[in-house]
Amino acid sequence: TEHEGVRPDGSRRGGASRRSVVARDLRAGGEPAGTVEILDDRTRVVELSERLHAMDKLSAMGDMASGIAHELRNPMMAVKGFAELLAPRLPEGSDERRWAGLIVEGSAEAETILASMMSLASPEKLALDSVDPQELARAALRLARLGAARDGECRVELTSSVDCPSLAGDRIKLRQALRNLLANAIQAQPDGGRVHLAIAREGDELVARVQDAGPGISQKLARRVFEPFFTTRAEGTGLGLALVQRIAVLHGGRVEISSLPSPLGGAEVRLHIPFRN
Protein backbone atom coordinates (compact mmCIF):
# COMPACT_ATOMS: atom_id res chain seq x y z
CA THR A 1 0.00 0.00 0.00
CA GLU A 2 1.40 3.37 -1.01
CA HIS A 3 0.62 6.41 1.11
CA GLU A 4 1.61 10.03 1.59
CA GLY A 5 1.80 12.07 4.77
CA VAL A 6 2.43 15.68 5.73
CA ARG A 7 4.86 16.62 8.49
CA PRO A 8 4.19 19.48 10.94
CA ASP A 9 6.48 21.75 8.87
CA GLY A 10 4.32 21.16 5.78
CA SER A 11 6.76 18.93 3.89
CA ARG A 12 5.43 15.80 2.22
CA ARG A 13 6.60 12.27 3.04
CA GLY A 14 6.01 9.41 0.63
CA GLY A 15 6.00 5.80 1.73
CA ALA A 16 4.76 2.28 1.26
CA SER A 17 3.79 -0.45 3.67
CA ARG A 18 3.37 -4.23 3.63
CA ARG A 19 1.41 -6.10 6.26
CA SER A 20 1.46 -9.81 7.12
CA VAL A 21 -0.49 -11.83 9.67
CA VAL A 22 1.59 -13.85 12.14
CA ALA A 23 0.02 -17.12 13.30
CA ARG A 24 0.64 -18.81 16.67
CA ASP A 25 1.03 -22.13 14.88
CA LEU A 26 2.76 -21.91 11.52
CA ARG A 27 0.89 -24.98 10.38
CA ALA A 28 -2.40 -24.59 8.54
CA GLY A 29 -5.24 -23.44 10.76
CA GLY A 30 -3.10 -21.63 13.30
CA GLU A 31 -4.75 -18.75 15.13
CA PRO A 32 -3.48 -15.24 14.37
CA ALA A 33 -1.14 -13.86 17.01
CA GLY A 34 -0.85 -10.42 15.46
CA THR A 35 0.51 -8.63 12.41
CA VAL A 36 3.88 -7.43 11.17
CA GLU A 37 3.98 -4.24 9.13
CA ILE A 38 7.03 -3.12 7.18
CA LEU A 39 7.21 0.59 6.37
CA ASP A 40 9.32 2.00 3.56
CA ASP A 41 10.24 5.70 3.45
CA ARG A 42 10.17 6.51 -0.26
CA THR A 43 10.22 10.30 0.06
CA ARG A 44 13.54 10.68 -1.75
CA VAL A 45 12.49 8.27 -4.51
CA VAL A 46 9.24 10.22 -5.05
CA GLU A 47 11.10 13.56 -5.11
CA LEU A 48 13.68 12.29 -7.61
CA SER A 49 10.98 10.74 -9.76
CA GLU A 50 9.03 14.01 -9.87
CA ARG A 51 12.16 16.01 -10.67
CA LEU A 52 13.14 13.57 -13.42
CA HIS A 53 9.63 13.80 -14.86
CA ALA A 54 9.82 17.61 -14.85
CA MET A 55 13.27 17.57 -16.51
CA ASP A 56 11.98 15.19 -19.19
CA LYS A 57 9.18 17.65 -19.93
CA LEU A 58 11.63 20.54 -20.22
CA SER A 59 13.86 18.48 -22.49
CA ALA A 60 10.93 17.44 -24.70
CA MET A 61 9.81 21.03 -25.23
CA GLY A 62 13.35 22.39 -25.57
CA ASP A 63 13.76 22.14 -29.33
CA MET A 64 10.22 23.31 -30.00
CA ALA A 65 10.42 26.33 -27.70
CA SER A 66 13.85 27.34 -28.95
CA GLY A 67 12.78 27.01 -32.58
CA ILE A 68 9.61 29.06 -32.07
CA ALA A 69 11.47 31.75 -30.13
CA HIS A 70 14.17 32.11 -32.79
CA GLU A 71 11.62 32.28 -35.61
CA LEU A 72 9.44 34.89 -33.89
CA ARG A 73 12.13 37.06 -32.33
CA ASN A 74 13.32 38.84 -35.50
CA PRO A 75 9.86 39.80 -36.82
CA MET A 76 8.76 40.94 -33.34
CA MET A 77 11.83 43.16 -33.02
CA ALA A 78 11.05 44.62 -36.45
CA VAL A 79 7.46 45.37 -35.40
CA LYS A 80 8.68 47.07 -32.22
CA GLY A 81 11.38 49.05 -34.04
CA PHE A 82 9.06 50.40 -36.73
CA ALA A 83 6.40 51.30 -34.15
CA GLU A 84 9.02 53.24 -32.16
CA LEU A 85 10.04 55.13 -35.31
CA LEU A 86 6.41 55.83 -36.23
CA ALA A 87 5.17 57.10 -32.84
CA PRO A 88 7.10 60.46 -32.78
CA ARG A 89 5.78 61.32 -36.27
CA LEU A 90 2.15 61.08 -35.18
CA PRO A 91 0.22 63.98 -33.58
CA GLU A 92 0.57 64.23 -29.79
CA GLY A 93 -2.55 62.93 -28.05
CA SER A 94 -3.93 61.22 -31.18
CA ASP A 95 -5.39 57.73 -31.19
CA GLU A 96 -2.81 56.71 -33.78
CA ARG A 97 0.09 57.69 -31.50
CA ARG A 98 -1.53 55.84 -28.59
CA TRP A 99 -1.97 52.76 -30.79
CA ALA A 100 1.71 52.90 -31.82
CA GLY A 101 2.62 53.01 -28.11
CA LEU A 102 0.47 49.96 -27.46
CA ILE A 103 2.25 48.11 -30.30
CA VAL A 104 5.61 48.89 -28.69
CA GLU A 105 4.29 47.76 -25.29
CA GLY A 106 2.89 44.50 -26.67
CA SER A 107 6.07 43.79 -28.62
CA ALA A 108 8.19 44.29 -25.51
CA GLU A 109 5.95 41.87 -23.59
CA ALA A 110 6.21 39.31 -26.39
CA GLU A 111 10.01 39.70 -26.37
CA THR A 112 10.04 38.97 -22.64
CA ILE A 113 8.02 35.78 -23.19
CA LEU A 114 10.31 34.68 -26.04
CA ALA A 115 13.39 35.31 -23.88
CA SER A 116 11.82 33.21 -21.12
CA MET A 117 11.14 30.39 -23.57
CA MET A 118 14.73 30.41 -24.79
CA SER A 119 16.04 30.56 -21.24
CA LEU A 120 13.82 27.63 -20.26
CA ALA A 121 14.86 25.52 -23.24
CA SER A 122 18.60 26.15 -23.39
CA PRO A 123 21.11 24.35 -21.13
CA GLU A 124 22.58 27.32 -19.27
CA LYS A 125 25.67 27.51 -17.11
CA LEU A 126 25.88 29.28 -13.79
CA ALA A 127 27.97 32.43 -13.35
CA LEU A 128 29.01 31.62 -9.78
CA ASP A 129 29.80 34.44 -7.41
CA SER A 130 29.60 35.16 -3.68
CA VAL A 131 25.98 36.17 -3.08
CA ASP A 132 24.88 38.17 -0.03
CA PRO A 133 21.32 37.02 0.87
CA GLN A 134 20.53 40.45 2.38
CA GLU A 135 21.42 42.19 -0.87
CA LEU A 136 19.63 39.49 -2.86
CA ALA A 137 16.42 40.03 -0.88
CA ARG A 138 16.58 43.83 -1.30
CA ALA A 139 17.06 43.55 -5.07
CA ALA A 140 14.27 40.98 -5.51
CA LEU A 141 11.83 43.06 -3.41
CA ARG A 142 12.69 46.20 -5.36
CA LEU A 143 12.02 44.49 -8.69
CA ALA A 144 8.79 42.96 -7.37
CA ARG A 145 7.58 46.40 -6.20
CA LEU A 146 8.38 47.94 -9.59
CA GLY A 147 6.56 45.15 -11.40
CA ALA A 148 3.53 45.42 -9.11
CA ALA A 149 3.37 49.20 -9.55
CA ARG A 150 3.57 48.82 -13.33
CA ASP A 151 0.75 46.27 -13.34
CA GLY A 152 -1.39 48.33 -10.95
CA GLU A 153 -1.04 45.74 -8.15
CA CYS A 154 0.82 47.85 -5.59
CA ARG A 155 -1.57 47.46 -2.64
CA VAL A 156 0.34 44.49 -1.26
CA GLU A 157 2.63 45.04 1.74
CA LEU A 158 6.06 43.51 1.15
CA THR A 159 8.35 42.63 4.08
CA SER A 160 11.47 40.53 4.56
CA SER A 161 13.71 38.95 7.19
CA VAL A 162 17.19 37.61 6.42
CA ASP A 163 19.49 35.60 8.70
CA CYS A 164 21.86 33.75 6.42
CA PRO A 165 25.57 33.90 5.47
CA SER A 166 26.80 34.47 1.91
CA LEU A 167 26.83 31.53 -0.48
CA ALA A 168 28.17 30.68 -3.93
CA GLY A 169 25.51 31.08 -6.60
CA ASP A 170 24.42 32.87 -9.75
CA ARG A 171 23.35 36.30 -8.48
CA ILE A 172 21.17 37.20 -11.49
CA LYS A 173 19.38 33.86 -11.70
CA LEU A 174 18.70 33.69 -7.95
CA ARG A 175 17.34 37.25 -8.04
CA GLN A 176 15.13 36.28 -10.99
CA ALA A 177 13.83 33.22 -9.11
CA LEU A 178 12.93 35.25 -6.00
CA ARG A 179 11.36 38.01 -8.09
CA ASN A 180 9.15 35.47 -9.88
CA LEU A 181 8.05 33.91 -6.57
CA LEU A 182 7.26 37.35 -5.11
CA ALA A 183 5.37 38.38 -8.26
CA ASN A 184 3.22 35.23 -8.06
CA ALA A 185 2.43 35.93 -4.40
CA ILE A 186 1.46 39.52 -5.24
CA GLN A 187 -0.74 38.45 -8.17
CA ALA A 188 -2.56 36.00 -5.88
CA GLN A 189 -3.84 39.03 -3.90
CA PRO A 190 -5.27 41.50 -6.46
CA ASP A 191 -7.32 43.27 -3.76
CA GLY A 192 -4.33 43.80 -1.48
CA GLY A 193 -2.66 41.76 1.23
CA ARG A 194 0.77 40.83 2.56
CA VAL A 195 3.85 39.03 1.26
CA HIS A 196 6.83 38.11 3.43
CA LEU A 197 10.21 36.88 2.21
CA ALA A 198 12.19 34.97 4.85
CA ILE A 199 15.73 33.78 4.06
CA ALA A 200 17.64 31.62 6.55
CA ARG A 201 20.23 28.89 6.70
CA GLU A 202 18.72 25.49 7.47
CA GLY A 203 21.37 22.78 7.76
CA ASP A 204 23.53 22.90 4.64
CA GLU A 205 20.97 24.85 2.61
CA LEU A 206 19.79 28.40 2.11
CA VAL A 207 15.99 28.31 2.33
CA ALA A 208 14.00 31.25 0.99
CA ARG A 209 10.34 31.16 2.06
CA VAL A 210 7.85 33.34 0.18
CA GLN A 211 4.68 33.58 2.26
CA ASP A 212 1.45 35.33 1.31
CA ALA A 213 -2.03 36.01 2.66
CA GLY A 214 -3.83 34.88 -0.49
CA PRO A 215 -6.19 31.95 -1.11
CA GLY A 216 -3.41 29.36 -1.01
CA ILE A 217 -2.56 26.55 -3.46
CA SER A 218 -4.51 23.30 -3.43
CA GLN A 219 -2.65 19.97 -3.42
CA LYS A 220 -4.04 19.25 -6.89
CA LEU A 221 -2.61 22.49 -8.31
CA ALA A 222 0.64 22.17 -6.35
CA ARG A 223 1.59 19.16 -8.48
CA ARG A 224 1.16 21.11 -11.72
CA VAL A 225 2.20 24.73 -11.11
CA PHE A 226 5.84 24.06 -12.08
CA GLU A 227 4.87 22.64 -15.48
CA PRO A 228 5.82 24.96 -18.38
CA PHE A 229 2.82 26.91 -19.75
CA PHE A 230 0.49 25.80 -16.95
CA THR A 231 -1.25 28.84 -15.44
CA THR A 232 -4.47 29.66 -13.59
CA ARG A 233 -4.50 33.30 -14.73
CA ALA A 234 -5.89 34.44 -18.08
CA GLU A 235 -2.99 36.88 -18.52
CA GLY A 236 -0.31 34.47 -17.26
CA THR A 237 2.29 32.71 -19.44
CA GLY A 238 2.92 29.70 -17.18
CA LEU A 239 6.69 30.18 -17.44
CA GLY A 240 7.51 31.95 -14.15
CA LEU A 241 7.50 28.98 -11.78
CA ALA A 242 8.99 26.67 -14.42
CA LEU A 243 11.95 29.08 -14.60
CA VAL A 244 12.22 29.11 -10.80
CA GLN A 245 12.41 25.33 -10.78
CA ARG A 246 15.03 25.33 -13.52
CA ILE A 247 17.17 27.84 -11.60
CA ALA A 248 16.87 25.73 -8.45
CA VAL A 249 17.90 22.55 -10.32
CA LEU A 250 20.88 24.34 -11.92
CA HIS A 251 22.06 25.16 -8.37
CA GLY A 252 21.48 21.56 -7.21
CA GLY A 253 18.42 22.65 -5.21
CA ARG A 254 14.66 22.35 -5.39
CA VAL A 255 11.38 24.24 -5.00
CA GLU A 256 8.59 23.08 -2.69
CA ILE A 257 5.07 24.23 -1.94
CA SER A 258 4.09 23.74 1.69
CA SER A 259 1.03 21.58 2.29
CA LEU A 260 0.11 23.83 5.24
CA PRO A 261 -1.01 27.48 5.15
CA SER A 262 1.71 30.07 5.60
CA PRO A 263 1.89 32.12 8.84
CA LEU A 264 0.00 34.81 6.89
CA GLY A 265 -2.79 32.36 6.03
CA GLY A 266 -2.02 31.83 2.34
CA ALA A 267 0.59 29.85 0.41
CA GLU A 268 4.24 29.25 1.27
CA VAL A 269 6.73 28.41 -1.47
CA ARG A 270 10.24 27.36 -0.43
CA LEU A 271 13.36 27.71 -2.55
CA HIS A 272 16.20 25.43 -1.36
CA ILE A 273 19.75 26.22 -2.53
CA PRO A 274 22.61 24.12 -1.10
CA PHE A 275 25.81 25.71 0.16
CA ARG A 276 28.76 24.68 -2.00
CA ASN A 277 31.97 23.39 -0.41
Side-chain angles (χ1 to χ4, degrees):
T1 302
E2 293 188 358
H3 53 82
E4 186 176 284
V6 180
R7 299 175 68 183
D9 64 359
S11 60
R12 289 186 295 141
R13 306 291 293 184
S17 62
R18 288 173 290 170
R19 180 177 297 177
S20 298
V21 175
V22 178
R24 294 183 187 281
D25 188 341
L26 297 181
R27 293 170 295 184
E31 295 181 2
T35 59
V36 173
E37 187 165 7
I38 301 174
L39 301 175
D40 256 345
D41 183 354
R42 296 187 181 176
T43 304
R44 188 63 177 155
V45 174
V46 172
E47 287 176 355
L48 291 173
S49 176
E50 289 178 351
R51 287 173 65 179
L52 184 61
H53 180 60
M55 290 172 69
D56 282 344
K57 280 193 171 184
L58 290 179
S59 177
M61 64 161 279
D63 290 339
M64 179 193 73
S66 183
I68 291 173
H70 278 296
E71 291 296 324
L72 291 180
R73 201 169 209 179
N74 287 339
M76 286 307 302
M77 290 300 290
V79 168
K80 181 184 177 186
F82 283 123
E84 286 175 335
L85 290 173
L86 179 63
R89 303 186 181 193
L90 298 171
E92 187 74 41
S94 66
D95 284 342
E96 288 81 2
R97 184 158 182 164
R98 183 172 61 85
W99 294 336
L102 290 173
I103 292 172
V104 172
E105 223 176 271
S107 301
E109 186 176 347
E111 170 64 18
T112 301
I113 295 172
L114 292 174
S116 295
M117 288 175 67
M118 293 181 72
S119 175
L120 192 64
S122 61
E124 296 178 273
K125 292 184 178 180
L126 297 177
L128 293 177
D129 194 7
S130 178
V131 180
D132 177 7
Q134 189 78 48
E135 180 188 334
L136 184 67
R138 279 198 299 266
L141 286 166
R142 184 177 66 252
L143 290 172
R145 286 191 182 97
L146 287 173
R150 187 179 62 246
D151 298 335
E153 298 169 335
C154 51
R155 289 174 290 179
V156 174
E157 179 189 353
L158 291 170
T159 58
S160 67
S161 60
V162 180
D163 182 15
C164 186
S166 297
L167 82 161
D170 189 309
R171 185 189 314 276
I172 294 175
K173 285 183 173 58
L174 289 175
R175 184 175 63 200
Q176 181 185 21
L178 288 181
R179 180 180 62 80
N180 284 352
L181 291 178
L182 290 167
N184 269 20
I186 291 170
Q187 290 158 2
Q189 305 169 90
D191 298 323
R194 287 183 62 198
V195 173
H196 182 69
L197 169 62
I199 301 180
R201 178 166 189 162
E202 298 182 15
D204 59 353
E205 293 181 325
L206 173 150
V207 181
R209 300 170 182 265
V210 177
Q211 304 162 341
D212 65 55
I217 302 173
S218 69
Q219 283 297 301
K220 183 178 179 182
L221 285 180
R223 296 179 181 277
R224 298 201 59 196
V225 292
F226 296 110
E227 294 179 10
F229 305 111
F230 176 80
T231 180
T232 58
R233 297 185 299 114
E235 67 278 15
T237 63
L239 293 173
L241 289 178
L243 279 171
V244 173
Q245 186 183 58
R246 180 170 181 78
I247 290 167
V249 171
L250 283 171
H251 282 83
R254 64 193 187 280
V255 192
E256 297 175 340
I257 296 177
S258 175
S259 304
L260 302 176
S262 76
L264 301 180
E268 177 178 286
V269 183
R270 298 188 291 258
L271 174 63
H272 295 252
I273 302 296
F275 283 87
R276 294 171 180 264
N277 296 326

